[in-house]
Coordinates of all heavy atoms in Angstrom, one line a residue:
V29 N -14.1 -0.6 -8.4 CA -13.9 -2.0 -7.8 C -12.7 -2.0 -6.8 O -12.4 -3.1 -6.4 CB -13.7 -3.0 -9.0 CG1 -12.3 -2.7 -9.5 CG2 -13.9 -4.4 -8.7
R30 N -12.4 -0.9 -6.4 CA -11.2 -0.8 -5.5 C -11.3 -1.6 -4.3 O -10.4 -2.4 -3.9 CB -10.9 0.7 -5.1 CG -9.6 0.8 -4.3 CD -9.3 2.3 -4.1 NE -8.9 2.9 -5.3 CZ -9.3 4.1 -5.7 NH1 -10.3 4.7 -5.2 NH2 -8.8 4.6 -6.9
A31 N -12.4 -1.4 -3.5 CA -12.5 -2.1 -2.2 C -12.6 -3.7 -2.5 O -12.0 -4.5 -1.7 CB -13.7 -1.7 -1.4
R32 N -13.2 -4.2 -3.5 CA -13.3 -5.6 -3.8 C -11.9 -6.1 -4.2 O -11.6 -7.2 -3.7 CB -14.3 -5.8 -4.9 CG -15.9 -5.8 -4.4 CD -16.8 -5.7 -5.5 NE -16.9 -4.3 -6.1 CZ -17.8 -3.9 -6.9 NH1 -18.5 -4.8 -7.6 NH2 -17.9 -2.7 -7.3
A33 N -11.1 -5.4 -4.9 CA -9.9 -5.9 -5.3 C -8.9 -6.0 -4.1 O -8.2 -6.8 -3.9 CB -9.3 -5.1 -6.4
V34 N -9.1 -4.9 -3.3 CA -8.3 -4.8 -2.0 C -8.7 -6.0 -1.1 O -7.9 -6.6 -0.4 CB -8.6 -3.5 -1.3 CG1 -8.1 -3.5 0.2 CG2 -7.8 -2.4 -2.0
A35 N -9.9 -6.4 -1.2 CA -10.4 -7.5 -0.3 C -9.7 -8.8 -0.7 O -9.3 -9.6 0.1 CB -11.9 -7.7 -0.4
F36 N -9.5 -9.0 -2.0 CA -8.8 -10.2 -2.4 C -7.3 -10.1 -2.0 O -6.8 -11.1 -1.6 CB -8.8 -10.3 -4.0 CG -10.0 -11.0 -4.5 CD1 -11.1 -10.1 -4.9 CD2 -10.1 -12.3 -4.6 CE1 -12.2 -10.8 -5.4 CE2 -11.2 -12.9 -5.2 CZ -12.4 -12.1 -5.5
Y37 N -6.7 -8.9 -2.0 CA -5.4 -8.8 -1.5 C -5.2 -9.1 0.0 O -4.4 -9.8 0.4 CB -4.9 -7.4 -1.8 CG -3.5 -7.0 -1.2 CD1 -2.3 -7.5 -1.7 CD2 -3.5 -6.1 -0.1 CE1 -1.1 -7.2 -1.1 CE2 -2.3 -5.8 0.4 CZ -1.1 -6.3 -0.1 OH 0.1 -6.0 0.4
L38 N -6.2 -8.5 0.7 CA -6.2 -8.8 2.2 C -6.5 -10.3 2.5 O -6.0 -10.8 3.5 CB -7.3 -7.9 2.9 CG -7.0 -6.4 2.9 CD1 -8.2 -5.6 3.4 CD2 -5.6 -6.1 3.6
L39 N -7.3 -10.9 1.6 CA -7.6 -12.4 1.8 C -6.3 -13.1 1.7 O -6.0 -14.0 2.5 CB -8.6 -12.8 0.7 CG -9.1 -14.3 0.8 CD1 -9.8 -14.6 2.0 CD2 -9.9 -14.6 -0.5
V40 N -5.5 -12.8 0.6 CA -4.2 -13.5 0.5 C -3.2 -13.2 1.6 O -2.6 -14.0 2.2 CB -3.7 -13.3 -0.9 CG1 -2.2 -13.8 -1.1 CG2 -4.5 -13.7 -2.0
F41 N -3.2 -11.9 1.9 CA -2.1 -11.4 2.9 C -2.5 -11.9 4.3 O -1.7 -12.6 5.0 CB -2.2 -9.9 2.9 CG -1.0 -9.3 3.7 CD1 0.2 -9.1 3.1 CD2 -1.2 -9.0 5.0 CE1 1.3 -8.6 3.9 CE2 -0.2 -8.5 5.8 CZ 1.0 -8.3 5.2
Q42 N -3.7 -11.6 4.8 CA -4.1 -12.0 6.2 C -4.3 -13.4 6.3 O -4.0 -14.0 7.3 CB -5.3 -11.2 6.6 CG -5.1 -9.7 6.7 CD -4.2 -9.3 7.9 OE1 -3.7 -10.1 8.7 NE2 -3.8 -8.0 8.0
G43 N -4.9 -14.0 5.3 CA -5.0 -15.5 5.3 C -3.7 -16.2 5.3 O -3.6 -17.2 6.0
G44 N -2.8 -15.6 4.5 CA -1.4 -16.2 4.6 C -0.8 -16.2 6.0 O -0.1 -17.0 6.4
M45 N -1.0 -15.0 6.6 CA -0.5 -14.8 8.0 C -1.1 -15.8 9.0 O -0.5 -16.4 9.8 CB -0.8 -13.4 8.5 CG 0.0 -12.3 7.8 SD 1.7 -12.2 8.3 CE 1.5 -11.6 10.0
A46 N -2.5 -16.0 8.8 CA -3.2 -16.9 9.7 C -2.8 -18.3 9.5 O -2.4 -19.1 10.4 CB -4.7 -16.7 9.6
I47 N -2.8 -18.8 8.2 CA -2.4 -20.1 7.9 C -0.9 -20.4 8.3 O -0.6 -21.4 8.8 CB -2.7 -20.5 6.4 CG1 -4.3 -20.4 6.2 CG2 -2.2 -21.8 6.1 CD1 -4.6 -20.5 4.8
G48 N -0.1 -19.4 7.9 CA 1.4 -19.5 8.3 C 1.6 -19.7 9.7 O 2.3 -20.5 10.2
A49 N 0.9 -18.8 10.6 CA 1.0 -18.9 12.0 C 0.6 -20.2 12.5 O 1.3 -20.9 13.4 CB 0.2 -17.8 12.7
L50 N -0.6 -20.8 12.0 CA -1.0 -22.1 12.4 C 0.1 -23.1 12.1 O 0.4 -24.0 12.9 CB -2.3 -22.4 11.8 CG -2.9 -23.8 12.1 CD1 -3.3 -23.8 13.6 CD2 -4.3 -23.9 11.3
V51 N 0.6 -23.2 10.8 CA 1.4 -24.2 10.4 C 2.8 -24.1 11.2 O 3.2 -25.2 11.7 CB 1.7 -24.1 8.9 CG1 2.9 -25.0 8.5 CG2 0.5 -24.4 8.1
W52 N 3.3 -23.0 11.4 CA 4.6 -22.8 12.1 C 4.5 -23.2 13.6 O 5.4 -23.7 14.2 CB 5.2 -21.5 11.8 CG 5.4 -21.2 10.5 CD1 5.0 -20.0 9.7 CD2 6.1 -21.9 9.5 NE1 5.4 -20.0 8.4 CE2 6.1 -21.2 8.2 CE3 6.8 -23.1 9.4 CZ2 6.6 -21.7 7.0 CZ3 7.4 -23.6 8.3 CH2 7.3 -22.8 7.1
G53 N 3.3 -22.9 14.1 CA 3.1 -23.2 15.5 C 3.1 -24.7 15.7 O 3.6 -25.2 16.7
Q54 N 2.4 -25.4 14.8 CA 2.4 -26.9 14.9 C 3.7 -27.5 14.6 O 4.2 -28.4 15.4 CB 1.4 -27.4 13.9 CG -0.1 -27.0 14.1 CD -0.6 -27.5 15.5 OE1 -0.2 -28.6 15.9 NE2 -1.3 -26.7 16.1
V55 N 4.5 -26.9 13.7 CA 5.9 -27.3 13.4 C 6.7 -27.2 14.7 O 7.5 -28.1 15.1 CB 6.5 -26.7 12.2 CG1 8.0 -27.1 12.1 CG2 5.8 -27.0 10.9
A56 N 6.6 -26.0 15.3 CA 7.4 -25.7 16.5 C 7.0 -26.6 17.6 O 7.8 -27.1 18.5 CB 7.2 -24.3 16.9
Q57 N 5.6 -27.0 17.7 CA 5.1 -27.8 18.9 C 5.8 -29.3 18.6 O 6.2 -29.9 19.7 CB 3.7 -27.9 18.8 CG 3.0 -28.7 19.8 CD 3.0 -28.1 21.2 OE1 3.3 -26.8 21.3 NE2 2.7 -28.8 22.3
W58 N 5.8 -29.8 17.4 CA 6.2 -31.2 17.2 C 7.6 -31.4 16.8 O 8.1 -32.6 17.0 CB 5.2 -31.8 16.3 CG 3.8 -31.7 16.8 CD1 2.7 -30.9 16.3 CD2 3.2 -32.5 17.9 NE1 1.6 -31.1 17.0 CE2 1.8 -32.1 18.1 CE3 3.7 -33.5 18.7 CZ2 1.0 -32.6 19.0 CZ3 2.8 -33.9 19.7 CH2 1.5 -33.5 19.8
A59 N 8.2 -30.5 16.1 CA 9.6 -30.6 15.6 C 10.5 -29.7 16.2 O 11.7 -29.9 16.0 CB 9.6 -30.5 14.1
G60 N 10.1 -28.7 16.9 CA 10.9 -27.8 17.6 C 11.0 -26.4 17.0 O 10.7 -26.3 15.8
L61 N 11.3 -25.4 17.7 CA 11.4 -24.0 17.2 C 12.3 -23.9 16.1 O 12.0 -23.2 15.1 CB 11.7 -23.2 18.5 CG 11.8 -21.6 18.2 CD1 10.5 -21.1 17.7 CD2 12.3 -20.9 19.5
S62 N 13.5 -24.5 16.2 CA 14.5 -24.3 15.1 C 14.0 -24.8 13.9 O 14.3 -24.2 12.8 CB 15.8 -25.0 15.6 OG 16.8 -24.9 14.6
A63 N 13.4 -25.9 13.8 CA 12.9 -26.5 12.6 C 11.8 -25.6 11.9 O 11.8 -25.4 10.7 CB 12.2 -27.9 12.9

């Protein structure tokens, strides 16, 4: 089951990167880079 369990890890890891990038980009756009 190694590849399937790794897939869940990548889902959390890369998904967190994508969602985090989207959120911080919007925060920087509307509240500023420092915020």
Side-chain angles (χ1 to χ4, degrees):
V29 75
R30 181 176 290 130
R32 280 164 280 183
V34 166
F36 277 93
Y37 173 72
L38 292 176
L39 180 65
V40 172
F41 188 90
Q42 296 291 354
M45 289 287 288
I47 294 171
L50 178 63
V51 169
W52 302 128
Q54 294 300 318
V55 172
Q57 180 78 14
W58 299 108
L61 180 60
S62 180

